[in-house]
Amino acid sequence: MKLNCIGFILLLFLLKNLSFGQDNQQIMPNKSHNLKFNFIPQKWDEALPIGNGTLGALVWQKDTTLRLSIDRADLWDNRPMKGLDRPEFNYKWVTAQVEKKQYDIVQKYFDDPYELEVAPTKLPGAAIEFIGKNWGKPVSSELDIFNSEVIVKYSNNVNFRTFVHANQDIGWFRIENVDTINFKIIAPNYDAKGDKGKNNLSKLGYPKGKFTKTKNAKYYEQTISLDEKYAAIVRWRRHEINNIEGSWAIVMIRDSSKKEITETGMAITKTYLKELKNHAQWWSDFWNKSSVFLPDSVLEKQYYLDLYKFGSVARRGSPAISLQSVWTADNGKLPAWKGDFHFDLNVQMSYWLAYKSNHLSEAYSLIDFVESNWDNFKLYTKQFYGSSGINTPGVMTINGKPLGGWIQYACSPTVSSWIAQHYYLQWQYSKNRRFLERRCYPWFKETIAFLEQILIKNESGLLQLPISSSPEIHDNSLKAWFRTPTNFDNALIHFVFEKGAELASELKKDHDKIHFDSIFNMLQPLEIDVEKGLLIAKDNPYKQSHRHFSHLLAIYPLGLITAKNYNDNKILNHSLSTLDEYGSDYWTGYSYCWLANLKARAKDGDGAAKALKIFSEAFCSPNSFHLNGDQSSKKNSKIKDKVFTLEGNFGFAAGVQEMLIQDHEGWIEVFPAIPKEWKYVRFDNLRVSGAALVSAILENGNLDRIQFIAESNESYILKLPFKTWFVDQKDQSKVELVEPGKLKINLKKGESIWIKNGYE
């Protein structure tokens, strides 16, 4: 550290008077990040989305009416999947059929029902259509993401406003400058006649719903499976002169829901603007957690829209994020892929953004969901694997029960291992000791106990799975099973035993650590080609374009292979070169987001930004929803499907964060992968491993300063991004240069420090 007297005096003056950034205010989403149109979107998957993790709504125009497609995350047909109770539903039987190359019977028993049976499935809720004959023509529609409120304006000075309350399972609407209201509740197409389509809702066999109304309320009640019922309720009243306010809810009709129904009724005695203020405070707190500024307005807007969607669907007390969460398709059909929970990528990718964005509370929705289904997971593990310990279905219902499907992935033996990574990240980013002891470590222990019972010794005396797969290589075929370990399965198994030993050491469980290390040392190593990088499995290189980069899991998200040493860096770069070589013909939108994270890990900022730009411009609906296929004419993919799922949006936001800060190599590096032409970049309060919040600003292409705020008593290693640097005199005892280019920062909980560029 070079520090002369004049420089030190000048530094003290700067630190005393300098505010971080330009105005000492965090960069919030502003009007430029909103969704705004000079019309009302006319398709459900282009609608303006609002939600609170349990309830959601899509605001759009169907024909000439303003439509709210209303939804509830736990609205499910929970009848059991047919066929999964047969005795052949077990891992050993499937393994035997693979060995005999008699796979048709496996597909018939356990894959076909997923395609042929309509239930179990997520269900659409209902819709509310407002008929505004005297409202005039639509002038604009806007989603204000800062407040999560939609405002639609009409030419006759009529304003329609709506939000889903952040703290209550109630939706609100306010129609300004009208004296009457005309609306109707629209039931899903459960009793459609004559439609023989594969995904027709009438195939569920429900009786016709019941509609009732009173002076200031309308109800729609629907009986679904297993004698369960749900209701859509709308209440309204005149408020002030020429204003009408109302509330709506979807409730499951059980004894426990009586309170919900009562609260929905009481809501109408409150006012829209007062409830909006309470609701907006939650969102203000949400946005205050972190912020970014990017010089690319397209990427910055997409980032904030995706973070907004995360806040709308990930909440404690709500289910984990399913394929579409609270925005089930309003197209008269069953939702794509039953709207279920896919744990072969979709759910995991949906939480990649949570940790660095400083939204640990929202990330708990995954862990809470998993543990709420603990008993069903244990039952499934015993039934399918004949094992104790815990594994989870790869494709499951809201109750954690298996759905079958492509059984290689729907019943993968490493699902709980991938979930374990999210437990590990929650611990690393929070340093919550109680969480480690009571939740994280028990999940690792149960997962390891399960793996120990199914791993076998191969001819070399090393441990591997009897059969292995790699989502979704060779799709649903006999070839999708590998007799040697895939890098997908193997990377997850390596991760669980390596991190399990680390956690055991942290908790001073020496016996466990020795045991986990001994098994780790017996695992089959990853399959690597010196020229091609990571293979799919032994003698199986990646040699054709494929949407799922499952063979690269060891690079991202697991971080087992990094750029920090020469050999691993070669593997990383060769793996990505192979990916580039075979191109994007059969990639989906989420593939580009995963690629951005991989490119960022390779410190390729231009490549990461390019992948994110393609995603935003070619694989998103006008409302920013991730659509699986390429919607442009630029030949980014031969897949053209317009199917909405959420994971791509959240993978995008994670990719932005990986460009701005990384902490997986044993140190913290700021701006590790940004394009060369980016001259002004900033982030505030991105979270790093060790429970610190980091802020940094790049001005005129030079990194100006970095701030650390500790939320735990920890030491952090910073990869120094400048040749000379300064800290305040009072903080000099908190830092030491441990090796050239590496600064150790020792902070106690609540302490902060600035590291400033010396510009020499």
Side-chain angles (χ1 to χ4, degrees):
M1 176 173 65
K2 297 183 179 180
L3 188 64
N4 58 40
C5 182
I6 296 175
F8 182 69
I9 293 171
L10 177 61
L11 172 70
L12 289 178
F13 174 82
L14 287 170
L15 288 175
K16 184 176 180 181
N17 294 280
L18 183 68
S19 63
F20 193 81
Q22 298 172 329
D23 55 10
N24 204 31
Q25 296 294 317
Q26 283 198 347
I27 302 167
M28 296 291 191
N30 55 48
K31 291 293 184 182
S32 70
H33 303 124
N34 288 348
L35 288 174
K36 186 171 184 178
F37 307 104
N38 58 5
F39 54 88
I40 306 173
Q42 297 189 16
K43 297 179 181 178
W44 73 267
D45 55 3
E46 299 178 2
L48 303 172
I50 49 178
N52 69 1
T54 296
L55 287 188
L58 297 168
V59 184
W60 56 296
Q61 180 175 301
K62 186 173 184 181
D63 300 324
T64 60
T65 61
L66 181 67
R67 186 173 175 106
L68 267 64
S69 305
I70 60 176
D71 195 11
R72 184 177 173 105
D74 57 358
L75 180 53
W76 266 74
D77 183 317
N78 282 311
R79 73 186 83 174
M81 175 59 76
K82 289 184 178 179
L84 299 190
D85 56 350
R86 62 189 315 141
E88 293 89 349
F89 186 62
N90 70 78
Y91 188 58
K92 289 183 179 179
W93 182 84
V94 173
T95 302
Q97 307 318 302
V98 172
E99 290 175 348
K100 292 186 290 186
K101 298 184 178 180
Q102 296 179 355
Y103 202 60
D104 289 351
I105 191 68
V106 178
Q107 294 171 320
K108 178 181 178 181
Y109 284 172
F110 307 124
D111 300 336
D112 289 355
Y114 185 86
E115 299 295 332
L116 299 175
E117 299 296 329
V118 292
T121 182
K122 174 72 178 70
L123 298 172
I128 310 170
E129 286 192 349
F130 294 88
I131 304 163
K133 292 182 178 180
N134 299 319
W135 295 1
K137 294 181 179 180
V139 173
S140 66
S141 61
E142 182 173 9
L143 167 62
D144 181 347
I145 65 170
F146 187 78
N147 292 323
S148 187
E149 183 191 21
V150 169
I151 302 175
V152 181
K153 295 184 177 181
Y154 291 84
S155 58
N156 288 347
N157 201 32
V158 174
N159 298 326
F160 180 93
R161 303 172 63 177
T162 185
F163 67 92
V164 173
H165 204 294
N167 300 313
Q168 303 169 23
D169 292 334
I170 298 173
W172 280 87
F173 62 87
R174 173 181 166 96
I175 312 172
E176 298 173 337
N177 302 316
V178 297
D179 53 13
T180 60
I181 184 173
N182 184 6
F183 76 92
K184 55 185 175 181
I185 300 176
I186 308 296
N189 205 22
Y190 290 135
D191 62 341
K193 306 299 182 184
D195 188 342
K196 303 297 183 182
K198 175 183 175 182
N199 295 316
N200 181 16
L201 286 170
S202 66
K203 289 183 176 294
L204 291 163
Y206 296 164
K208 190 172 183 177
K210 179 182 178 182
F211 291 88
T212 57
K213 63 180 180 179
T214 61
K215 181 180 179 181
N216 287 98
K218 291 184 180 181
Y219 304 82
Y220 159 64
E221 183 178 301
Q222 179 66 57
T223 299
I224 55 175
S225 63
L226 306 177
D227 294 325
E228 292 187 325
K229 296 180 181 180
Y230 76 91
I233 307 167
V234 183
R235 291 185 170 93
W236 74 94
R237 68 165 184 168
R238 183 185 299 278
H239 180 71
E240 302 168 339
I241 299 174
N242 293 335
N243 291 330
I244 292 176
E245 296 185 351
S247 65
W248 63 267
I250 297 178
V251 299
M252 303 303 296
I253 301 178
R254 312 182 185 100
D255 288 342
S256 60
S257 69
K258 290 179 180 177
K259 180 173 180 287
E260 283 184 283
I261 295 172
T262 301
E263 288 177 347
T264 307
M266 290 174 62
I268 203 60
T269 64
K270 304 175 183 178
T271 66
Y272 180 98
L273 296 179
K274 183 177 180 180
E275 292 304 296
L276 177 65
K277 184 178 180 180
N278 177 272
H279 155 85
Q281 183 59 54
W282 186 95
W283 279 98
S284 178
D285 294 342
F286 176 86
W287 292 118
N288 271 316
K289 293 292 185 182
S290 65
S291 61
V292 307
F293 176 88
L294 308 177
D296 187 312
S297 60
V298 172
L299 299 189
E300 184 182 271
K301 181 173 183 176
Q302 184 74 44
Y303 177 82
Y304 277 113
L305 286 171
D306 290 345
L307 198 57
Y308 164 78
K309 287 190 283 293
F310 185 73
S312 300
V313 300
R315 301 287 182 88
R316 297 206 73 169
S318 299
I321 302 170
S322 59
L323 293 176
Q324 297 90 19
S325 188
V326 295
W327 299 312
T328 302
D330 184 8
N331 59 2
K333 305 292 183 181
L334 291 165
W337 298 291
K338 303 180 184 296
D340 59 32
F341 298 86
H342 266 54
F343 277 86
D344 70 346
L345 174 147
N346 307 77
V347 176
Q348 290 92 332
M349 183 182 281
S350 292
Y351 288 90
W352 284 356
L353 82 164
Y355 308 99
K356 287 181 180 175
S357 65
N358 194 22
H359 289 292
L360 299 186
S361 175
E362 287 75 22
Y364 266 112
S365 64
L366 171 59
I367 290 167
D368 292 345
F369 172 77
V370 165
E371 292 180 2
S372 71
N373 291 313
W374 182 282
D375 290 342
N376 281 336
F377 293 157
K378 295 285 282 186
L379 181 64
Y380 159 76
T381 305
K382 186 68 175 176
Q383 177 190 10
F384 186 72
Y385 289 99
S387 168
S388 58
I390 202 163
N391 191 36
T392 69
V395 179
M396 69 176 73
T397 70
I398 195 169
N399 295 325
K401 295 183 179 181
L403 277 165
W406 293 4
I407 204 167
Q408 302 92 329
Y409 328 117
C411 295
S412 165
T414 53
V415 180
S416 61
S417 301
W418 199 347
I419 293 172
Q421 191 208 9
H422 284 277
Y423 275 87
Y424 180 77
L425 292 172
Q426 183 71 236
W427 152 244
Q428 283 293 307
Y429 282 78
S430 70
K431 288 300 176 180
N432 183 329
R433 191 79 177 185
R434 183 183 179 92
F435 171 78
L436 171 64
E437 294 171 348
R438 299 194 177 191
R439 306 186 72 176
C440 178
Y441 193 68
W443 185 267
F444 270 80
K445 282 271 287 186
E446 290 284 341
T447 299
I448 287 171
F450 159 71
L451 289 172
E452 282 189 79
Q453 293 173 71
I454 66 167
L455 291 172
I456 61 172
K457 283 188 177 181
N458 60 24
E459 294 176 353
S460 302
L462 298 175
L463 294 174
Q464 67 168 72
L465 295 170
I467 53 176
S468 188
S469 66
S470 188
E472 297 168 339
I473 304 298
H474 300 310
D475 294 339
N476 177 32
S477 69
L478 180 61
K479 288 177 65 179
W481 289 108
F482 296 83
R483 297 310 309 275
T484 56
T486 65
N487 276 334
F488 171 81
D489 279 335
N490 217 9
L492 286 167
I493 294 169
H494 277 243
F495 177 87
V496 166
F497 281 99
E498 178 184 306
K499 301 306 181 185
E502 176 189 313
L503 299 179
S505 178
E506 176 71 27
L507 293 172
K508 296 182 170 50
K509 295 181 180 291
D510 297 337
H511 181 270
D512 283 356
K513 175 174 168 45
I514 292 169
H515 181 58
F516 298 162
D517 281 337
S518 68
I519 298 174
F520 177 80
N521 292 330
M522 293 178 64
L523 295 175
Q524 179 76 19
L526 298 176
E527 297 292 343
I528 300 168
D529 182 279
V530 292
E531 298 298 328
K532 296 291 186 180
L534 286 165
L535 306 179
I536 295 168
K538 185 178 181 181
D539 301 324
N540 283 271
Y542 179 93
K543 57 183 180 181
Q544 63 185 41
S545 178
H546 194 275
R547 61 192 173 275
H548 200 307
F549 308 150
S550 52
H551 64 300
L552 301 183
L553 209 69
I555 299 173
Y556 190 88
L558 298 182
L560 302 178
I561 293 174
T562 71
K564 71 179 179 181
N565 64 58
Y566 178 74
N567 288 332
D568 277 7
N569 193 41
K570 281 179 62 178
I571 295 167
L572 192 163
N573 286 303
H574 287 169
S575 298
L576 294 189
S577 294
T578 299
L579 206 61
D580 292 337
E581 176 186 351
Y582 289 100
S584 61
D585 280 357
Y586 295 98
W587 291 6
T588 61
Y590 72 68
S591 308
Y592 278 95
C593 298
W594 197 344
L595 178 68
N597 284 278
L598 290 163
K599 292 283 188 180
R601 287 286 172 98
K603 312 303 168 72
D604 178 4
D606 291 312
K610 179 181 177 182
L612 293 177
K613 184 67 75 75
I614 291 172
F615 170 82
S616 181
E617 294 181 342
F619 289 87
C620 288
S621 185
N623 70 349
S624 81
F625 276 2
H626 162 231
L627 305 177
N628 274 243
D630 184 1
Q631 307 303 304
S632 74
S633 58
K634 297 182 179 180
K635 299 182 179 179
N636 300 295
S637 174
K638 290 183 178 179
I639 298 175
K640 304 297 181 184
D641 295 346
K642 192 183 180 185
V643 183
F644 159 54
T645 56
L646 277 162
E647 74 289 326
N649 290 119
F650 304 139
F652 176 96
V656 170
Q657 294 163 13
E658 285 296 320
M659 295 171 68
L660 299 179
I661 191 165
Q662 294 179 13
D663 58 3
H664 62 284
E665 295 177 307
W667 53 77
I668 295 160
E669 185 174 3
V670 297
F671 304 123
I674 60 172
K676 298 179 182 62
E677 68 270 17
W678 285 13
K679 301 303 180 184
Y680 182 86
V681 195
R682 170 182 165 181
F683 63 83
D684 296 290
N685 291 339
L686 292 184
R687 182 175 285 268
V688 294
S689 179
L693 302 178
V694 181
S695 303
I697 185 168
L698 189 82
E699 292 185 295
N700 299 318
N702 294 309
L703 181 58
D704 188 71
R705 54 201 182 274
I706 306 169
Q707 183 188 41
F708 279 74
I709 301 173
E711 291 192 350
S712 181
N713 299 324
E714 288 286 329
S715 295
Y716 310 93
I717 304 296
L718 173 67
K719 184 177 180 180
L720 282 167
F722 13 67
K723 293 180 180 179
T724 60
W725 49 276
F726 301 108
V727 297
D728 195 345
Q729 185 177 28
K730 67 181 176 61
D731 291 327
Q732 289 186 26
S733 62
K734 300 174 184 175
V735 299
E736 64 176 301
L737 199 63
V738 291
E739 61 178 274
K742 302 283 175 56
L743 185 69
K744 186 176 183 181
I745 304 168
N746 302 302
L747 296 177
K748 295 180 180 179
K749 184 176 180 179
E751 290 185 337
S752 64
I753 191 171
W754 294 78
I755 301 97
K756 182 78 168 59
N757 194 342
Y759 288 104
E760 182 174 306

